[in-house]
Amino acid sequence: MVNNFKMVIIGGDARYVEVIEQLSRSVQNIFLVGFERKNVSQANVIQTSLAHINFSEIDAILLPVSGTNKDGKVELAPYAEEELIVSEEHIAQTPAHCTIYTGISNSYLDEITRKHERTLIRLFACDDLAIMNSIPTAEGALQLAMEHTDRTIHGARVCVLGFGRVGMTVARLFANVGAHVSVGARKSAHFARMIEMGLRPVQIAHIKREAAEIDMWINTIPQRIITEDILSSFDPSSLIIDLASNPGGVDFASAQKKGIQTIHALGLPGKVAPKSAGTFIAHTLIPLLKEHLPRH
Ligand code: NAP
């Protein structure tokens, strides 16, 4: 337990219930904002509001996995009773050593922390957390695939786009349940790994040629990759599951026009396995907190 350490948690989904549980064993004072609809039993965890926080005494701030939107509004705050906005003034009031932790960042968070010279840690930039998090993400994608098709995944022709932390786990899981998995990527090392894993490599530039042969697409590329042009070759009965963070990688309007079933499935770890996903976050965050803290 770090003495006199004060941390504020501003919003978060079901994963943060587990994060709070685990943090409460290491951090002496935790102020919770945006958890009004959740009962918290730990004596060192205090429910409060943004207006009641004395930011000049705060050593660390934890933002949700999704961070904020471009106006500072905290997204995905299912336990919050009111809108939560992290403002530049909040950051300005913190002591110089205060560290801000977020799942992912954006230009708003980058800018307000840079301007006031506060350290911003993007937890999901840590490879180990992103890889662990890919496990419930892939399981959630499989669950959605089963729910939204009337055939087995075994034998389905699945194309995964992207072969990063999430793409690799998704491709492996779908192949393990018997799907015929091809993967769209652009690096020769990725193609070699796919061959080693028994997956079919496809140059991302050539996915249009493959389109008619695919029953299900799972996108993990955080760029507009499934464009109107590429969609023109899709079988209208195919299913697209887009896992890429907002705004996603699919031209959703064009897909809808073509009648293609498209799901932009965000925050899957928090929906399908919040306890495991929260544990992964806590296991990354707690050592970082201990590392970045000034000695009290
Ligand atoms: P990652 O490890 O960085 O992988 C991204 C992949 O996209 C890489 O294979 C990269 O290829 C490829 N890529 C990027 N730009 C490309 C382009 N212009 N053309 C072709 N390929 C491109 O990221 P990740 O950890 O797998 O996460 C992927 C996405 O899923 C992110 O948006 C992340 O926020 C999101 N995510 C969503 C959930 C959910 O619940 N939906 C959960 C976890 C993560 P190169 O290696 O060749 O650059």
Side-chain angles (χ1 to χ4, degrees), residues 97-289:
H97 69 263
C98 178
T99 303
I100 293 95
Y101 299 87
T102 180
I104 57 174
S105 188
N106 58 12
S107 54
Y108 175 83
L109 284 175
D110 290 350
E111 180 54 26
I112 61 172
T113 49
R114 188 201 55 75
K115 193 167 164 192
H116 296 281
E117 298 181 345
R118 299 293 181 269
T119 305
L120 177 70
I121 309 258
R122 298 162 192 82
L123 295 170
F124 281 82
C126 305
D127 239 0
D128 44 359
L129 178 55
I131 291 169
M132 294 308 290
N133 200 50
S134 74
I135 300 169
T137 308
E139 289 186 10
L142 181 60
Q143 182 178 333
L144 284 171
M146 291 166 70
E147 285 169 2
H148 290 269
T149 51
D150 53 9
R151 296 180 188 205
T152 57
I153 305 304
H154 186 279
R157 298 165 300 177
V158 175
C159 184
V160 178
L161 299 177
F163 201 56
R165 283 90 48 108
V166 176
M168 189 184 287
T169 309
V170 168
R172 191 195 314 279
L173 182 63
F174 276 73
N176 284 349
V177 293
H180 301 295
V181 179
S182 44
V183 183
R186 57 186 178 179
K187 287 185 179 146
S188 57
H190 283 166
F191 295 138
R193 180 59 69 194
M194 288 170 209
I195 292 166
E196 176 273 319
M197 289 170 67
L199 308 167
R200 201 168 78 82
V202 179
Q203 278 287 351
I204 199 79
H206 298 157
I207 54 169
K208 196 174 167 188
R209 292 185 201 160
E210 304 284 318
E213 305 299 319
I214 298 297
D215 303 312
M216 191 182 300
W217 297 82
I218 303 177
N219 178 52
T220 72
I221 298 176
Q223 301 283 334
R224 176 63 67 89
I225 206 84
I226 304 186
T227 58
E228 184 172 17
D229 174 49
I230 288 175
L231 281 164
S232 66
S233 302
F234 274 38
D235 182 333
S237 69
S238 55
L239 169 69
I240 304 173
I241 300 176
D242 189 3
L243 300 177
S245 296
N246 269 327
V250 179
D251 181 338
F252 294 103
S254 297
Q256 196 182 8
K257 247 188 261 162
K258 212 171 153 24
I260 299 171
Q261 192 183 184
T262 308
I263 305 163
H264 194 189
L266 297 179
L268 286 177
K271 290 171 186 156
V272 303
K275 201 166 173 69
S276 305
T279 300
F280 302 151
I281 295 170
H283 285 181
T284 298
L285 176 61
I286 291 169
L288 285 173
L289 279 174

